[in-house]
């Protein structure tokens, strides 16, 4: 684009707060590489897997994370999503066993069981708020796979405080130097500080309680938090309490709302595409069986 993006604000594809319209426009009219300016910031938009691979993998070492992700450090510290190398490489090594295929298969059983339990409440007629329902389902799954717990008061509080922070996140990152004003008595900043303190207290307590259980009990647990607690780097070092807190927050935030949104849009798109919906139903019947004889899916499916 020849001028900075705000110049085009009267165009239907350049609505503030609707970035997907802009991306769709660029993919359609500018092809695999688009460029625009937001005032003086140059933004390059890639829409071709090969180019994206080049940035993330082939030349990964030449790029750092962009500003909004780095800004998440105020909430997520130096977790997997926000840290750069060498911290990031070390955390990846330590966390790897927690994401091993065998672990994922035990989480898969939990996920299927949670989904099946939710389905069993759906028989009655009437409307379902699919977005709220998918949020509830993914929160339940996160609670079980990350903490081996049900959606109790702690999990609800983590969820509520995270929502408070994400609700004011766009406002927060508008500060050019947020870190410098974090202690100022600005209403939004004070709300952020309070929510973060509450989050820290809950997560720190959950970690301390889990550690107090002792090594033997920890080894029997298979939730992500326990795996991160016993994980060691090649030199025998472990994650500090602060790093544990950062990774738990990261996985909670990265894993829960993303999945709920993906599921919600999947349902929506299926209703718009009856052909795809019918093919999915047919595949389910073929693979899992029909009626009383139908079984639940597994990771292999
Ligand atoms: C449909 C669901 C999901 C979507 C759309 C999604 C999307 C993404 C994206 C775009 C990134 C890259 C962010 C960046 O560095 O710019 C990312 C990273 C990450 N995601 Fe997800 N994610 C999903 C599910 C999950 C789940 C279920 C988990 C964990 C249980 C998770 C954990 C992470 C972690 C730890 C990272 C950082 C990885 C690293 O840099 O080492 N995500 N995700």
């Amino acid at each position: 684009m020849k001028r900075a993006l705000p110049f085009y604000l009267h165009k239907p594809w350049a609505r503030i707060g609707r970035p997907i319209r802009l991306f769709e426009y660029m993919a359609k009219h500018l092809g695999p590489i688009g460029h625009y300016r937001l005032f003086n910031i140059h933004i390059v938009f890639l829409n071709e897997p090969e180019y994206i691979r080049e940035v993330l993998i082939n030349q990964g070492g030449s790029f750092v994370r962009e500003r909004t992700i780095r800004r998440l450090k105020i909430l997520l510290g130096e977790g997997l999503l926000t840290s750069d190398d060498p911290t990031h490489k070390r955390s990846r090594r330590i966390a790897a066993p927690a994401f091993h295929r065998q672990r994922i298969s035990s989480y898969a059983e939990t996920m299927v069981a949670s989904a099946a339990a939710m389905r069993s409440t759906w028989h009655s007629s009437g409307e379902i708020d699919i977005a709220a329902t998918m949020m509830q389902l993914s929160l339940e799954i996160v609670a079980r796979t990350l903490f081996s717990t049900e959606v109790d008061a702690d999990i609800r509080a983590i969820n509520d405080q995270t929502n408070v922070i994400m609700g004011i996140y766009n406002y927060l990152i508008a500060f050019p130097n947020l870190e410098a004003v974090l202690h100022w008595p600005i209403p939004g900043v004070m709300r952020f500080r309070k929510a973060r303190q509450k989050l820290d207290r809950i997560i720190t307590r959950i970690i301390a309680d889990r550690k107090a259980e002792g090594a033997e009990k920890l080894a029997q647990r298979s939730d992500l938090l326990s795996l991160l607690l016993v994980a060691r780097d090649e030199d025998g070092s472990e994650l500090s309490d602060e790093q544990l807190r950062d990774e738990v927050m990261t996985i909670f935030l990265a894993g829960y709302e993303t999945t709920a949104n993906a599921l919600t849009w999947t349902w929506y798109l299926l209703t718009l595409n009856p052909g795809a919906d019918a093919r999915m139903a047919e595949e389910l019947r073929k693979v899992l069986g029909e009626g009383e004889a139908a079984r639940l899916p597994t990771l292999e499916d």
Side-chain angles (χ1 to χ4, degrees):
M1 267 174 259
K2 293 193 176 58
R3 297 170 199 270
L5 185 61
F7 179 83
Y8 298 96
L9 269 185
H10 62 284
K11 301 273 191 197
W13 43 263
R15 286 266 296 282
I16 296 252
R18 297 277 189 101
I20 288 180
R21 286 198 189 180
L22 171 67
F23 299 160
E24 277 174 350
Y25 174 87
M26 298 217 302
K28 203 162 148 205
H29 297 277
L30 305 180
I33 301 185
H35 163 255
Y36 65 97
R37 267 192 307 130
L38 198 60
F39 302 107
N40 283 326
I41 307 170
H42 290 265
I43 297 170
V44 177
F45 175 80
L46 301 181
N47 192 44
E48 170 67 46
E50 224 176 280
Y51 298 156
I52 293 169
R53 183 180 182 85
E54 199 59 30
V55 170
L56 292 183
I57 312 275
N58 298 357
Q59 301 190 42
S62 312
F63 293 87
V64 290
R65 299 181 192 266
E66 60 93 27
R67 185 169 162 270
T68 13
I69 289 274
R70 273 186 290 145
R71 272 295 171 86
L72 267 177
K73 281 189 188 184
I74 57 167
L75 175 62
L76 303 178
E78 294 287 332
L80 277 171
L81 199 59
T82 39
S83 62
D84 287 305
D85 287 338
T87 306
H88 182 251
K89 273 219 168 73
R90 175 175 180 266
S91 309
R92 282 293 286 261
R93 272 197 310 270
I94 298 183
F99 292 96
H100 191 274
R101 213 191 124 79
Q102 273 161 332
R103 293 296 177 192
I104 305 294
S105 81
S106 79
Y107 304 148
E109 282 167 30
T110 306
M111 292 172 195
V112 171
S114 303
M118 173 155 280
R119 182 188 58 180
S120 69
T121 66
W122 278 5
H123 288 309
S124 56
S125 56
E127 284 180 9
I128 293 168
D129 179 338
I130 203 74
T133 312
M134 293 300 109
M135 286 286 182
Q136 190 192 329
L137 176 62
S138 64
L139 190 61
E140 243 174 63
I141 292 173
V142 160
R144 289 176 183 161
T145 54
L146 185 56
F147 301 112
S148 314
T149 177
E150 294 306 308
V151 180
D152 56 14
D154 277 347
I155 302 288
R156 267 185 221 293
I158 296 177
N159 183 41
D160 292 347
Q161 299 310 319
T162 307
N163 284 339
V164 168
I165 292 175
M166 293 323 283
I168 51 177
Y169 182 67
N170 283 338
Y171 159 83
L172 285 174
I173 60 165
F175 286 93
N177 189 0
L178 177 62
E179 291 75 8
V181 300
L182 271 185
H183 301 285
W184 292 17
I186 307 165
V189 175
M190 282 158 69
R191 251 190 303 149
F192 163 75
R193 225 165 38 219
K194 221 163 121 193
R196 201 200 131 116
Q197 275 164 2
K198 280 190 196 160
L199 269 175
D200 279 353
R201 262 203 305 276
I202 301 163
I203 293 178
T204 307
R205 182 166 43 72
I206 293 177
I207 292 173
D209 287 354
R210 196 53 69 83
K211 277 190 162 172
E213 284 183 356
E216 205 173 306
K217 189 129 187 247
L218 260 184
Q220 288 162 5
R221 287 186 178 271
S222 63
D223 60 275
L224 266 168
L225 173 61
S226 305
L227 293 170
L228 291 174
L229 275 168
V230 298
R232 297 287 177 272
D233 198 359
E234 290 153 347
D235 61 5
S237 61
E238 57 189 66
L239 292 172
S240 67
D241 279 357
E242 176 130 16
Q243 284 170 318
L244 277 168
R245 178 253 170 230
D246 293 350
E247 296 306 356
V248 165
M249 261 320 293
T250 296
I251 295 169
F252 187 87
L253 192 79
Y256 143 63
E257 205 178 358
T258 44
T259 314
N261 284 337
L263 286 170
T264 301
W265 282 101
T266 304
W267 288 115
Y268 175 67
L269 289 171
L270 282 170
T271 63
L272 294 187
N273 295 279
D277 192 33
R279 280 199 304 283
M280 183 184 77
E282 177 55 30
E283 186 178 346
L284 288 174
R285 264 195 301 277
K286 236 167 71 191
V287 177
L288 304 176
E290 247 176 293
E292 290 292 301
R295 64 177 175 83
L296 291 174
T298 62
L299 184 69
E300 283 65 40
D301 295 316

